[in-house]
Amino acid sequence: IEALPPFGKWRLGWSWAWGLIAALLLGQLAAALGAAGTSGWLVQSAASNVIMMYMMLYTVMGASVAWGVMEHYKISVAFRIFLLIMFYMTPPFTWAFALAGLLDGWADFRKLLSRKR
């Protein structure tokens, strides 16, 4: 069994975003069409659950980006953990983690950071 890479190097490709886009479009389509009854509620609920799953996944990937950046600047492991917990408990930073995880699929922030050396 192959070992997982270090947390600071975890990354999702850009193609994962298509699942999020599809769930967002499905939820909007169901709401716009005014899907009534059990089937409409079921479609909106399924789309909402998929969106929440992607948000959690991208939040973890954003934390991985933050970990990799802090690792680059040689911040101690204990302080990294402390900072990640504090940032995660602050709502704007939670969304920033998710956005960083999403955009990392295209931008690869850690690679950009290593180019600046």
Side-chain angles (χ1 to χ4, degrees):
I1 297 175
E2 192 174 325
L4 283 174
F7 182 62
K9 298 195 183 305
W10 287 11
R11 189 168 180 270
L12 289 176
W14 64 268
S15 59
W16 280 78
W18 286 112
L20 178 61
I21 292 168
L24 288 167
L25 289 175
L26 182 64
Q28 290 298 315
L29 182 64
L33 294 176
T38 306
S39 61
W41 174 82
L42 191 61
V43 169
Q44 286 181 329
S45 180
S48 178
N49 284 326
V50 170
I51 291 167
M52 287 300 127
M53 180 203 61
Y54 268 97
M55 293 308 294
M56 287 188 297
L57 180 65
Y58 281 128
T59 299
V60 170
M61 291 300 109
S64 172
V65 169
W67 187 274
V69 168
M70 289 187 284
E71 191 173 47
H72 175 77
Y73 288 110
K74 311 241 186 292
I75 295 173
S76 71
V77 173
F79 195 55
R80 282 186 233 168
I81 293 170
F82 173 76
L83 285 176
L84 286 180
I85 291 170
M86 289 292 105
F87 284 151
Y88 182 75
M89 290 174 32
T90 307
F93 288 114
T94 304
W95 283 103
F97 278 165
L99 186 60
L102 176 64
L103 294 177
D104 187 53
W106 287 284
D108 195 0
F109 295 122
R110 288 152 292 197
K111 191 175 187 181
L112 292 174
L113 190 62
S114 67
R115 287 184 192 168
K116 287 188 170 188
R117 281 189 168 187

